[in-house]
Amino acid sequence: MGPEKPILYNFAYSSCSWRVRAVLVYKNIDFTYKHYIPVEESVAEYRQLNAMGQVPCLIIDGQTLTQSVAIIEYLEETRPDLPLLPKDPLQRARVRQIVEIINSGIQPLMSPGTAKIVTADIEKQKEWQVYWIEKGLAALEVFLAGTHGKFCVGDELTLADIFLVPQLFSSRRFGADLFKFPKCAQLFQDLEHWEVFEKTHPTRQPTGA
Ligand SMILES: N[C@@H](CCC(=O)N[C@@H](CS)C(=O)NCC(=O)O)C(=O)O
């Protein structure tokens, strides 16, 4: 492992960033927090780190990594203590299914950047965002019925929880009614204030202000 302290470019309320913060904290990886919100004035320069111009971006082991799933899997593979994927292949697949519903089935569709392109009408943007959030949460609700214990998949913390908690926090902020999804809401209530999420919670991060 490189001797340099990892640097995480991220911002407090970015759900993709929260996923990475949570894994770093869970695995006891000390890191430097760099507050960065992608805005037009600075994004050209930032694209040298992440060609997509988005957060998170983690500099670790002398390398620059982007895309939260890739970053997290790298951390899981290079820092295997305190694993976040179950040993059993089927359980791993279950965890990854939840990760993908959130990572590709909800987050990119609800993102303000996507909604802005679909329509300039602010009310319609909100409708669009809530539509995709609720479509994904409805699927998660069915799915979790077959997998959950104390956590999303069984009774151990996994990447499924690391993706679910930030997603539900953002979903609520974007106007979705979590009470329509009782299993998701229950897991959120049980986990949001669990130590790893508490320490990395958006309301407790530097805002750059
Ligand atoms: N698939 C990417 C998505 C990253 C992403 O959408 N990041 C958002 C914040 S959660 C962002 O940077 N948005 C600003 C922008 O797209 O300009 C990941 O998982 O890292």
Side-chain angles (χ1 to χ4, degrees), residues 11 14-17 19 38 52-56 66-69 103 107 111:
F11 67 88
S14 147
S15 63
C16 306
S17 299
R19 301 165 186 170
M52 285 294 279
Q54 298 173 325
V55 290
T66 65
Q67 298 297 326
S68 61
V69 171
N103 186 56
Q107 188 274 333
S111 104

Side-chain angles (χ1 to χ4, degrees), residues 46 49-52 54 56-58 64-71:
Y46 176 74
L49 292 177
N50 182 355
M52 285 294 279
Q54 298 173 325
C57 170
L58 182 69
T64 301
L65 296 179
T66 65
Q67 298 297 326
S68 61
V69 171
I71 296 171

